[in-house]
Amino acid sequence: MAKRSLNASERGQVIAKQAFQRTGWTQAYLAEQVGLETRQSVWKFFTGRPIERHIFIDLCFQLDLEWQEIAILPQFPIPNATVSEEQTDLEADTWVQKVRSQLRGQIQAQCGALQSSLDITQPVQLNQVYTGVNFLSNLSHQQWLEVSDLQQRQSSSNEEEVPLYGSTLTSIDILQNQDKVVILGKPGAGKTTFLRHMALECNEGRYKPECIPVFLSLRTFATQTQDATDSSLLTYLHQLWQRCGLDIKQVKGLLDRGRVLLLLDGLDEVPASLNQSILTQIQQFSEEYYQNQILITCRIEAQHYHFQGFNYIELADFQKSQVEVFARRYFVATARNSKTGGLTQAAQFLEQLRQPENQALQNLTASPLLLGLICSIFQQRMAFPTKRAKLYQAGLEILLERWDQARGIKREADEFSLSKPETITLLCQIAATTFAEGNYYFEQRQVLNLIADYLQSIAPEPQDFETLWSRSAAILKSIELQSGLLVQRAKEVYSFSHLTFQEYLTARKIIATPETIDESLSQLATQITDSRWREVILLTASLLPNANTFVQQLLATVNDIPSSQPEVQNFLGAVQTKVSTLQATDQPLPITAFYISLILRDDPGLANCIAPNFTQNLPTDLAIDYALFLTVRAMQRQGTQDLPAFTFLPTFLAIDESICADPQLWQSLQDLKDQLPEESADAETLQAWYQQQGQQWQAALQAVMVKYRGFQPQWFSDLNTQGKLKDYFGMLQTLVECLYGDCYVSPLVRAELEAQLFGFNKVLTA
């Protein structure tokens, strides 16, 4: 049985401490990242004491380290053997080392290079970008779950990073206990990359150094051997190793002693006519040479043959921590030998990705394939594209066609196949129907009914129910297999692979139906009050050749809100009063947006949508208000932390007399500064000050802001208690992004809309 604890070697301790210092974290923070209540295990980790295996591996993952390089690996005793057995084992060791040494370069060339994206021909080394993967403890499509169960789990997963299907396992957890494994996954989930990684790990002696790694594309093997007299895996291995001087007896000897790591990639890619032959060969080989470890990859939907004695596992989606690791490695690997530059790019990428307006992009990063695409696009201009629909279209093209093309795979068409345009039209219909019903998850029978309706609409003549139903089921399986855009999340329960694609296809459906587009757009404009429709509205606006009428409808819906909600109208009126007292009034729209989003979202970024980079060079009045308001917000949050970081101190202390023209305000701020502890004080002193004087000091600051800066007392309310104001801001943000984003609005109409933005007309005449 494998040892259940691990400890760091002396060299590993040094490497781990250096990696930890680079992060700038505390031990308490690192413990929190791996789900530990105390930092005791972290302390043991850095001091070389034994800790539980899974905690050791998780800590290494967080520090971006290979755990095998840090740990003292257990040495297993060699069992007693007869002289002849010992001699045979020595011979086997000699053969293994001979083959490994001669084929080492070939395996490195075969598995070591990875295309950085589908649009860039320059490859990167796989070990530079490889990010550890996790596996689901239960296969998703075999779980007996209802739609309501999945909806509830999805809600929990959005609030905290909890895998949709419960706990996950690392590759070490799986491979140390299983010799025969079928690895299932969606297109682009990283199946081939994982298999190549294991080949390289074995090639470098970090995994099964006593074995010879063999990475084999089953599609290539099937087509190359289909006309051969003897097309067995044994014959293939003999031919592969003949150049190393091994005869068939020696090959069998290695297999009999379990000295081969056989990595079989792409079971779903084998042509249908050769499928049964390959399946039979694998089963027979695994039974005859059962001592060897065999890993097979296959798309989930193609798994229709059950290998006896094999364990089936499924690749889990990337979680946030894996996205961060991948991004850092990707940008460093593609930064032309500038590690510092690459890390800077990665930090900018992750910072922008975390912004609320990029939630849809965050959704796509769960797929390693699409994450690589997003990194590549970001790197070209160090920003995400304003035409977001183009990015989603690129992702759609990759999954529907280009990913298979890039890998040289040609799927066989049959009588049930749809053309690419027909497939997109069908997916748009499914997306629009299910999204309008509020369903991210939906029953299989609903999908089949929608497919059947579509088939009936394009059929030259009516078809009987059984024919329609059978063809609908075949088409559903074809979409699952070839693109993975529809995924079986539980038994007979489906969803789109990413919510973003459901939203994008819903928008395409609206645009692609000219006979109902006016009615659809009018109805869609009223949905701006529902945050769930935000991305669909933005995408629809960007896809329209002329969005004048649609944006006018959006504005009318938003401007109707204040008249029916006094809370909103009073807030807008107070903001307008505040803006009118400022010296800088030459940019009323971005200034108004600045205060609205600062107060309601704790972030003045809405102003940047109207005037790019507005917040980078703020007028003096706005800069003072920004610093003061952020100080209040920071104080409010300090009370929720065990050890306040007092992040407000530098912000508040940065206000000096040169930007504060009002002498009474300056004196009041000076009085408040005199009451603060020293900025260099230790944590205990800061904590004691906060508990004794913090709330009183905060109240005094708020009073100064009300008296001298025109703030309203209610503007300091907690962000979570804003209620209707928060909802109004969400609508306003969607409207502003449409008006100033990537949709076309004529200059004349834009000017008319700007005159009514933020309810100016209604507020001023109320």
Side-chain angles (χ1 to χ4, degrees):
M1 179 176 292
K3 185 179 179 183
R4 301 312 301 167
S5 64
L6 289 172
N7 56 300
S9 64
E10 290 186 8
R11 177 175 177 273
Q13 293 172 47
V14 173
I15 295 173
K17 289 175 181 177
Q18 291 173 344
F20 179 66
Q21 289 174 354
R22 288 194 295 270
T23 65
W25 296 341
T26 64
Q27 289 191 8
Y29 179 81
L30 179 57
E32 181 183 344
Q33 291 299 103
V34 297
L36 300 174
E37 295 182 357
T38 69
R39 59 185 182 90
Q40 183 178 14
S41 293
V42 177
W43 173 76
K44 289 183 177 180
F45 172 75
F46 286 120
T47 55
R49 289 165 173 76
I51 59 174
E52 290 185 61
R53 184 185 198 86
H54 71 93
I55 295 176
F56 188 97
I57 294 172
D58 285 347
L59 289 170
C60 289
F61 176 77
Q62 291 296 332
L63 295 172
D64 201 9
L65 300 171
E66 295 292 344
W67 70 270
Q68 298 97 327
E69 297 179 4
I70 306 302
I72 298 177
L73 297 178
Q75 300 295 319
F76 298 101
I78 301 175
N80 293 329
T82 63
V83 174
S84 60
E85 288 174 335
E86 290 178 351
Q87 182 63 33
T88 304
D89 286 340
L90 288 173
E91 291 177 355
D93 287 339
T94 302
W95 299 336
V96 167
Q97 294 308 316
K98 183 177 182 179
V99 175
R100 284 176 62 92
S101 64
Q102 292 194 29
L103 297 184
R104 188 172 185 273
Q106 178 182 329
I107 293 171
Q108 179 65 38
Q110 181 187 22
C111 300
L114 187 70
Q115 295 302 127
S116 57
S117 82
L118 290 170
D119 295 317
I120 297 179
T121 56
Q122 179 185 2
V124 296
Q125 291 303 303
L126 185 145
N127 60 6
Q128 291 180 308
V129 296
Y130 180 77
T131 301
V133 295
N134 291 334
F135 298 91
L136 300 179
S137 53
N138 298 297
L139 298 183
S140 58
H141 66 284
Q142 290 186 357
Q143 296 196 69
W144 289 93
L145 296 172
E146 302 292 335
V147 168
S148 58
D149 299 326
L150 290 169
Q151 296 279 25
Q152 184 176 359
R153 291 190 183 189
Q154 181 72 25
S155 176
S156 300
S157 297
N158 286 339
E159 295 172 7
E160 50 182 293
E161 195 167 2
V162 179
L164 185 60
Y165 298 100
S167 61
T168 59
L169 302 171
T170 67
S171 58
I172 301 302
D173 294 327
I174 295 290
L175 300 183
Q176 283 200 338
N177 299 312
Q178 299 289 339
D179 281 336
K180 308 292 183 293
V181 182
V182 176
I183 301 166
L184 304 176
K186 300 184 288 290
K191 302 180 295 297
T192 299
T193 301
F194 173 72
L195 225 56
R196 287 179 173 177
H197 170 72
M198 296 311 301
L200 295 175
E201 289 293 286
C202 182
N203 200 38
E204 297 297 326
R206 291 188 290 267
Y207 179 74
K208 287 190 173 293
E210 75 283 2
C211 292
I212 304 170
V214 178
F215 178 89
L216 177 59
S217 164
L218 287 173
R219 169 173 48 89
T220 302
F221 172 72
T223 54
Q224 288 181 349
T225 61
Q226 60 179 320
D227 298 325
T229 305
D230 184 356
S231 59
S232 67
L233 284 167
L234 175 62
T235 299
Y236 173 84
L237 293 176
H238 178 220
Q239 293 173 347
L240 181 66
W241 296 336
Q242 257 185 329
R243 74 180 83 168
C244 302
L246 269 64
D247 58 30
I248 189 67
K249 181 179 179 181
Q250 292 169 325
V251 173
K252 287 183 177 181
L254 290 175
L255 290 170
D256 286 337
R257 284 162 181 78
R259 308 302 289 274
V260 177
L261 172 62
L262 188 57
L263 306 166
L264 305 177
D265 185 45
L267 183 62
D268 57 281
E269 300 169 6
V270 175
S273 59
L274 305 174
N275 189 262
Q276 189 56 51
S277 172
I278 295 298
L279 295 173
T280 302
Q281 282 196 54
I282 294 173
Q283 184 68 67
Q284 291 176 346
F285 184 90
S286 68
E287 291 176 355
E288 184 171 358
Y289 301 110
Y290 60 88
Q291 301 94 330
N292 303 278
Q293 187 170 52
I294 303 176
L295 308 181
I296 307 171
T297 63
C298 181
R299 292 187 179 182
I300 298 173
E301 302 73 22
Q303 183 263 316
H304 53 80
Y305 181 88
H306 187 75
F307 291 106
Q308 293 295 322
F310 277 72
N311 182 41
Y312 284 69
I313 60 175
E314 180 179 345
L315 273 171
D317 288 341
F318 265 6
Q319 296 185 10
K320 291 179 182 178
S321 56
Q322 291 166 301
V323 171
E324 292 174 0
V325 170
F326 178 90
R328 288 196 295 270
R329 292 183 172 179
Y330 175 91
F331 285 104
V332 168
T334 57
R336 300 184 182 276
N337 300 320
S338 174
K339 183 176 182 180
T340 301
L343 290 174
T344 300
Q345 290 180 350
Q348 294 174 356
F349 171 83
L350 293 169
E351 181 181 1
Q352 291 193 35
L353 186 65
R354 295 187 193 104
Q355 299 304 312
E357 61 269 22
N358 291 323
Q359 178 61 48
L361 286 179
Q362 294 176 38
N363 180 269
L364 293 180
T365 60
S367 163
L369 171 64
L370 297 179
L371 174 57
L373 172 69
I374 294 170
C375 288
S376 171
I377 291 174
F378 180 88
Q379 191 175 46
Q380 294 177 33
R381 54 195 297 268
M382 293 312 294
F384 294 118
T386 54
K387 289 282 186 183
R388 200 65 57 87
K390 286 186 177 180
L391 191 154
Y392 302 152
Q393 175 62 24
L396 197 68
E397 292 282 344
I398 286 172
L399 292 176
L400 281 172
E401 189 172 53
R402 290 178 58 206
W403 183 229
D404 276 353
Q405 287 180 348
R407 290 159 54 82
I409 303 169
K410 185 174 179 57
R411 306 280 176 184
E412 296 179 357
D414 55 37
E415 58 179 315
F416 299 128
S417 299
L418 295 176
S419 66
K420 178 183 168 185
E422 288 174 335
T423 300
I424 293 176
T425 301
L426 172 59
L427 288 170
C428 285
Q429 181 62 48
I430 295 172
T433 302
T434 54
F435 190 86
E437 295 172 349
N439 295 330
Y440 179 54
Y441 302 99
F442 30 86
E443 299 284 351
Q444 177 179 316
R445 64 176 181 273
Q446 181 183 10
V447 187
L448 294 178
N449 279 323
L450 291 170
I451 297 175
D453 290 343
Y454 174 74
L455 293 177
Q456 193 72 273
S457 70
I458 63 173
E461 56 186 35
Q463 296 181 314
D464 65 88
F465 175 80
E466 290 300 331
T467 301
L468 275 175
W469 198 255
S470 296
R471 190 179 181 195
S472 298
I475 288 173
L476 176 58
K477 286 298 178 186
S478 176
I479 293 174
E480 287 184 82
L481 172 62
Q482 295 189 28
S483 70
L485 284 165
L486 287 175
V487 179
Q488 189 173 183
R489 301 292 188 177
K491 281 189 176 294
E492 300 187 355
V493 177
Y494 283 79
S495 82
F496 280 86
S497 58
H498 305 280
L499 174 60
T500 299
F501 284 132
Q502 189 180 16
E503 294 167 331
Y504 171 69
L505 291 166
T506 298
R508 280 190 62 159
K509 170 63 177 174
I510 294 172
I511 301 301
T513 315
E515 60 273 14
T516 60
I517 190 170
D518 291 340
E519 180 183 351
S520 297
L521 290 176
S522 179
Q523 177 62 32
L524 180 60
T526 66
Q527 299 289 1
I528 196 172
T529 59
D530 185 347
S531 60
R532 194 174 65 85
W533 286 85
R534 166 182 160 78
E535 194 68 18
V536 175
I537 290 172
L538 293 172
L539 290 169
T540 301
S542 71
L543 291 170
L544 285 168
N546 186 319
N548 284 347
T549 301
F550 182 52
V551 179
Q552 286 172 329
Q553 292 170 331
L554 292 173
L555 178 65
T557 303
V558 173
N559 278 352
D560 280 342
I561 300 299
S563 60
S564 61
Q565 297 181 8
E567 179 183 5
V568 175
Q569 185 164 5
N570 293 337
F571 172 76
L572 289 176
V575 171
Q576 291 298 334
T577 301
K578 163 66 177 171
V579 172
S580 67
T581 65
L582 300 173
Q583 294 180 358
T585 56
D586 57 326
Q587 293 180 288
L589 287 178
I591 291 175
T592 303
F594 170 87
Y595 282 102
I596 289 175
S597 60
L598 177 64
I599 296 164
L600 297 183
R601 184 59 69 88
D602 193 15
D603 178 358
L606 188 63
N608 293 328
C609 293
I610 300 174
N613 303 319
F614 179 81
T615 58
Q616 293 183 11
N617 189 23
L618 290 173
T620 300
D621 279 347
L622 275 65
I624 292 174
D625 287 345
Y626 189 20
L628 295 177
F629 197 81
L630 288 187
T631 299
V632 172
R633 283 290 187 238
M635 286 290 291
Q636 289 176 334
R637 292 193 175 94
Q638 299 307 143
T640 64
Q641 301 179 13
D642 294 333
L643 285 177
F646 280 74
T647 54
F648 71 88
L649 280 177
T651 303
F652 184 75
L653 295 174
I655 302 174
D656 59 38
E657 193 171 6
S658 65
I659 66 170
C660 190
D662 185 339
Q664 292 180 312
L665 172 61
W666 173 247
Q667 185 58 54
S668 298
L669 295 180
Q670 281 296 102
D671 293 342
L672 287 170
K673 287 183 180 181
D674 292 341
Q675 299 173 29
L676 289 171
E678 293 293 331
E679 190 175 1
S680 59
D682 56 37
E684 290 76 11
T685 302
L686 294 173
Q687 177 71 1
W689 180 89
Y690 180 83
Q691 291 177 345
Q692 296 169 13
Q693 304 179 46
Q695 292 186 356
Q696 181 180 357
W697 189 90
Q698 177 187 329
L701 174 59
Q702 292 175 194
V704 169
M705 294 170 67
V706 171
K707 182 176 181 179
Y708 295 107
R709 298 303 306 158
F711 278 75
Q712 299 295 309
Q714 63 270 23
W715 290 356
F716 303 109
S717 300
D718 184 82
L719 290 174
N720 295 322
T721 63
Q722 298 287 358
K724 293 179 180 178
L725 288 174
K726 281 185 66 178
D727 295 337
Y728 172 74
F729 180 82
M731 303 176 220
L732 199 60
Q733 185 177 35
T734 302
L735 172 63
V736 168
E737 289 186 25
C738 282
L739 182 58
Y740 295 96
D742 60 352
C743 67
Y744 175 78
V745 178
S746 67
L748 180 61
V749 172
R750 186 185 304 278
E752 294 174 354
L753 295 175
E754 287 178 338
Q756 304 172 55
L757 196 58
F758 308 128
F760 273 19
N761 292 347
K762 292 181 179 292
V763 172
L764 295 178
T765 59

